[in-house]
């Protein structure tokens, strides 16, 4: 297992074998930054851990060598630390947090330098009112300026919302043509793939034929269809079959978002899940998935309710909760969903809109229900009505053993599925899932160093190289001459997450320095400089 002193003696032949030139791109120029003596991972070699100097100039990696003789305008002594490509969060919801605080504190402090947003079918562009295009969105990211690089998918749920609305019905041929044109325009403008959230409205109302048609523009660009599948519990295997059928029909890569086996009675399906992925890959499909290192997920409280009840949007849904024609059926199906997840006690409330219910935040739903002398289902309805459905939850319903198997799988990448937060200021709100503050150090600390589920080199690739290759992010995801200088320094012996479900607003340990596009964003654990993130266009 790699330790903080894990490196091997380099020779010129060894550097050549790893594809690392020992010569500088420009011997006449000084370097803006030199990081000296770190054990470098993510060079494209089989293992990594070679002790090297890395020189940065004009935002890019200009030299990698056993010893750079020149002096840098700035230098960091990194002996005993590991240096990796900046982590790429392939499934992120940081776009919401960036709007409130472009510093992206919780993102940068995890070593993440690129977030991939527009997930679960819910991209922020194109805007429903037509005022914001992908081009304008990218311009806004760079004008913030964002602390991190931002790439975005086009959300097929958002596309359906714009053209079809919130109704549970098939798209007409004319509507399908309009939606396809929006997807094409998004990809031309720089979207890095297309996403769906098939457990959420209105994406849940799209049939397989519609999704194949909307994914066909991905084919020529070899960009992925990323899907929060239609189901992740009792009909998980059927949902995987549908996802494969959509990608097969569109002839595009498939990325299964935050793959899980939800509910104890479904934990045993993991072997069948892996068998389906293996069979598809053997047949020539380009299929992979991502996962966060926790056994609880986070979603809206409406996810505990049947999707048919969401037909038409929030107001019709709220009326169905009381309508004698539908109320009993809605309650039965919601109670069944809660039972599947282990009961209402496994549902922790993470945010509400209604100030009157603010005492619910951080509590388990059944515990809060008792404070109001209500049954848990009744309490859920009260919360949804008071906050006009704007209630978020954390739900505990997954297996630790399965989690480790997902993380170790060769086709798995690491994602947070979380937002951007800060321990103070506008980006601190509610009681969010700790994945938004701890995902990447948790993998390095708990699952590499302690549990030995992954090697350090494997983890780094899952957090940088694999996502960059998946999304065709040129010059990202590797420590390589000519590539963008997105870099993270961490201590393999101490790196760890500190965010907890009970107290998520804690930054990780063991990540002293982060560089984004050649500029230091975090140094010795302190934030420095202005945002240097870029909008990454496909």
């Amino acid at each position: 297992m790699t330790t903080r002193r894990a490196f091997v003696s380099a020779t010129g032949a060894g550097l050549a074998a790893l594809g690392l030139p020992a010569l500088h791109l420009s011997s006449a120029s000084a370097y803006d930054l030199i990081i000296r003596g770190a054990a470098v991972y993510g060079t494209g070699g089989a293992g990594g851990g070679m002790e090297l100097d890395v020189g940065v100039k004009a935002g890019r990696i200009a030299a990698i060598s056993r010893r750079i003789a020149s002096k840098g305008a700035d230098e960091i002594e990194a002996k005993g630390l590991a240096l990796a490509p900046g982590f790429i969060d392939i499934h992120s919801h940081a776009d919401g947090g960036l709007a409130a605080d472009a510093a992206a504190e919780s993102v940068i402090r995890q070593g993440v330098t690129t977030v991939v947003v527009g997930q679960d079918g819910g991209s922020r562009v194109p805007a429903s009112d037509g005022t914001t295009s992908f081009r304008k969105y990218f311009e806004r990211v760079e004008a913030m300026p964002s602390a991190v690089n931002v790439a975005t998918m086009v959300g097929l749920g958002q596309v359906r919302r714009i053209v079809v609305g919130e109704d549970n019905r098939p798209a007409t041929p004319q509507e399908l043509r309009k939606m396809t044109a929006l997807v094409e325009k998004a990809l031309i403008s720089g979207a890095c793939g297309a996403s769906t959230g098939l457990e959420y409205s209105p994406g849940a109302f799209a049939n397989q034929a519609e999704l194949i048609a909307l994914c066909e523009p991905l084919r020529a660009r070899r960009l992925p269809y990323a899907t929060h599948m239609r189901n992740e519990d009792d009909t998980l295997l059927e949902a995987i079959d549908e996802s494969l059928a959509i990608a097969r029909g569109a002839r595009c890569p498939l990325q299964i978002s935050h793959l899980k086996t939800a509910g104890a009675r479904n934990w045993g399906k993991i072997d069948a899940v892996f068998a389906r992925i293996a069979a598809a890959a053997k047949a020539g499909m380009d299929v992979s998935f991502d996962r966060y290192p926790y056994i609880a997920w986070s979603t809206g409280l409406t996810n505990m309710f049947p999707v048919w009840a969401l037909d038409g949007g929030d107001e019709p849904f709220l009326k169905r909760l009381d309508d004698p024609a539908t109320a009993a059926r809605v309650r039965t199906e919601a109670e069944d969903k809660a039972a599947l997840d282990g009961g209402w006690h496994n549902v922790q409330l993470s945010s509400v809109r209604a100030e009157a219910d603010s005492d619910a935040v951080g509590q388990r739903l059944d515990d809060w229900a008792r404070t109001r002398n209500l049954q848990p289902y009744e309490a859920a309805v009260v919360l949804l009505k008071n906050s006009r459905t704007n209630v978020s939850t954390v739900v505990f319903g997954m297996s630790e053993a399965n989690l480790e198997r997902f993380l170790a799988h060769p086709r798995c990448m690491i994602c947070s599925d979380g937002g951007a937060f800060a321990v103070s200021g506008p980006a601190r709100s509610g009681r969010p899932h700790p994945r938004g503050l701890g995902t990447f150090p948790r993998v390095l600390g708990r699952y590499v160093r302690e549990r030995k589920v992954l090697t350090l080199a494997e983890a780094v690739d899952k957090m940088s190289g694999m996502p960059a290759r998946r999304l065709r992010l040129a010059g990202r995801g590797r420590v390589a001459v000519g590539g963008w200088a997105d870099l993270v320094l961490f201590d393999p012996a101490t790196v760890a997450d500190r965010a907890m479900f009970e107290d998520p607003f804690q930054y990780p340990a063991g990540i002293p320095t982060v560089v984004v596009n050649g500029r230091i964003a975090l140094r010795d654990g302190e934030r420095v400089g202005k945002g240097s993130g870029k909008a990454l266009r496909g």
Side-chain angles (χ1 to χ4, degrees):
M1 178 49 57
T2 307
T3 67
R4 65 185 297 166
R5 299 286 299 169
F7 61 88
V8 294
S9 177
T11 64
L15 290 168
L18 287 174
L20 303 176
L23 298 177
H24 311 153
L25 289 185
S26 174
S27 59
S29 301
Y31 298 98
D32 301 327
L33 172 67
I34 298 177
I35 300 174
R36 295 196 182 275
V40 179
Y41 291 83
T43 60
M50 186 178 291
E51 191 176 80
L52 300 167
D53 290 355
V54 175
V56 174
K57 186 173 179 61
R60 293 183 180 266
I61 297 171
I64 304 173
S65 177
R66 286 176 295 169
R67 177 67 182 172
I68 295 175
S70 305
K71 296 294 184 182
D74 193 0
E75 298 199 3
I76 295 175
E77 176 54 57
K79 180 165 282 193
L81 300 176
L83 179 68
F87 303 142
I88 299 171
D89 190 347
I90 195 169
H91 186 108
S92 170
H93 295 282
D95 40 350
L98 283 175
D101 183 3
E105 288 285 357
S106 71
V107 179
I108 286 291
R109 289 175 181 276
Q110 290 185 67
V112 172
T113 57
T114 297
V115 295
V116 184
V117 299
Q119 300 295 341
D120 299 329
S123 59
R124 295 178 179 270
V125 281
S128 298
D129 59 6
T131 59
T132 305
S133 65
F134 274 81
R135 178 181 61 80
K136 290 181 179 178
Y137 177 74
F138 288 136
E139 289 173 354
R140 194 166 66 213
V141 165
E142 294 190 337
M144 287 178 178
S146 172
V148 294
N149 302 314
V150 179
T152 182
M153 296 194 169
V154 54
L156 301 187
Q158 175 66 358
V159 167
R160 184 173 234 272
R161 181 176 289 110
I162 291 170
V163 177
V164 180
E166 298 284 350
D167 297 340
N168 184 1
R169 64 171 177 82
T172 67
Q174 182 181 17
E175 288 170 336
L176 189 57
R177 286 192 293 272
K178 287 182 179 179
M179 288 193 288
T180 303
L182 285 175
V183 174
E184 283 276 11
K185 186 176 181 180
L187 294 172
I188 289 170
S189 300
C192 63
S195 75
T196 55
L198 300 184
E199 280 194 309
Y200 308 124
S201 66
F205 306 143
N207 60 31
Q208 186 171 306
E210 174 183 318
L211 295 171
I212 289 173
L214 296 183
C215 286
E216 284 179 346
L218 298 168
R219 179 191 312 157
R221 299 169 175 87
R222 291 182 289 160
L223 290 173
Y225 165 54
T227 179
H228 175 139
M229 298 184 296
R230 209 171 292 275
N231 184 271
E232 297 175 313
D233 45 64
D234 284 353
T235 57
L236 166 66
L237 300 180
E238 293 84 347
I240 290 175
D241 291 340
E242 180 190 41
S243 302
L244 292 167
I246 291 166
R248 189 180 298 113
R251 288 185 287 168
C252 67
L254 173 64
Q255 184 77 15
I256 301 176
S257 298
H258 43 63
L259 183 57
K260 64 177 70 71
T261 50
R265 69 190 185 213
N266 296 301
W267 294 351
K269 294 179 179 177
I270 189 169
D271 290 326
V273 169
F274 287 162
R276 277 167 164 75
I277 291 172
K282 186 176 181 180
M285 284 194 68
D286 183 355
V287 55
S288 56
F289 62 91
D290 46 65
R291 178 58 193 269
Y292 45 83
Y294 298 87
I295 59 170
W297 62 86
S298 183
T299 188
L301 182 56
T302 54
N303 193 240
M304 300 298 294
F305 290 73
V307 71
W308 62 263
L310 299 169
D311 183 7
D314 291 345
E315 292 309 314
F317 166 68
L318 292 172
K319 289 179 181 178
R320 291 185 186 104
L321 298 177
D322 295 323
D323 187 339
T326 55
R329 180 185 171 195
V330 171
R331 179 165 189 161
T332 295
E333 294 188 30
E335 297 275 21
D336 287 346
K337 178 65 167 67
L340 164 65
D341 295 333
W344 290 106
H345 188 71
N346 278 357
V347 179
Q348 179 174 302
L349 298 160
S350 57
S351 72
V352 298
R353 175 180 286 176
E355 181 63 28
D357 297 331
S358 61
D359 62 323
V361 174
Q363 292 202 53
R364 301 298 181 108
L365 196 146
D366 61 338
D367 292 338
W368 184 78
R370 280 190 287 273
T371 70
R372 300 295 176 102
N373 295 315
L374 297 170
Q375 293 297 313
Y377 174 81
E378 295 166 349
V381 170
V382 166
L383 289 166
L384 289 169
K385 288 180 177 179
N386 289 350
S387 288
R388 313 310 295 171
T389 75
N390 197 335
V391 181
S392 298
T393 63
V394 171
V395 184
F396 297 83
M398 294 183 281
S399 157
E400 177 70 23
N402 280 7
L403 166 59
E404 294 189 355
R405 292 184 64 188
F406 281 125
L407 295 178
H409 194 283
R411 293 183 180 270
C412 178
M413 302 171 208
I414 306 302
C415 76
S416 77
D417 193 17
F421 303 99
V423 298
S424 61
R428 175 172 180 148
S429 63
R431 188 75 64 85
H433 194 302
R435 63 194 183 185
L437 297 97
T439 286
F440 293 84
R442 182 174 177 83
V443 170
L444 295 171
R446 177 174 174 81
Y447 294 101
V448 172
R449 183 180 63 244
E450 297 173 7
R451 301 288 297 166
K452 298 179 173 54
V453 172
L454 303 164
T455 67
L456 185 52
E458 288 170 340
V460 166
D461 194 46
K462 287 173 178 287
M463 296 191 289
S464 56
M466 286 178 70
R469 296 190 293 272
R470 188 61 162 157
L471 301 175
R472 304 175 64 78
L473 300 179
R476 312 281 173 180
R478 285 186 64 194
V479 180
V481 170
W484 288 100
D486 293 340
L487 302 165
V488 53
L489 270 174
F490 62 92
D491 185 343
T494 64
V495 62
D497 64 306
R498 295 193 288 199
M500 300 178 291
F501 288 101
E502 300 78 14
D503 183 12
F505 290 108
Q506 299 187 77
Y507 296 136
I511 301 179
T513 301
V514 177
V515 178
V516 181
N517 294 310
R519 295 184 183 178
I520 298 174
L522 182 73
R523 183 166 194 160
D524 296 328
E526 299 293 330
R527 292 301 303 274
V528 295
K530 291 182 63 176
S532 58
K534 295 179 180 292
L536 304 187
R537 298 163 177 83

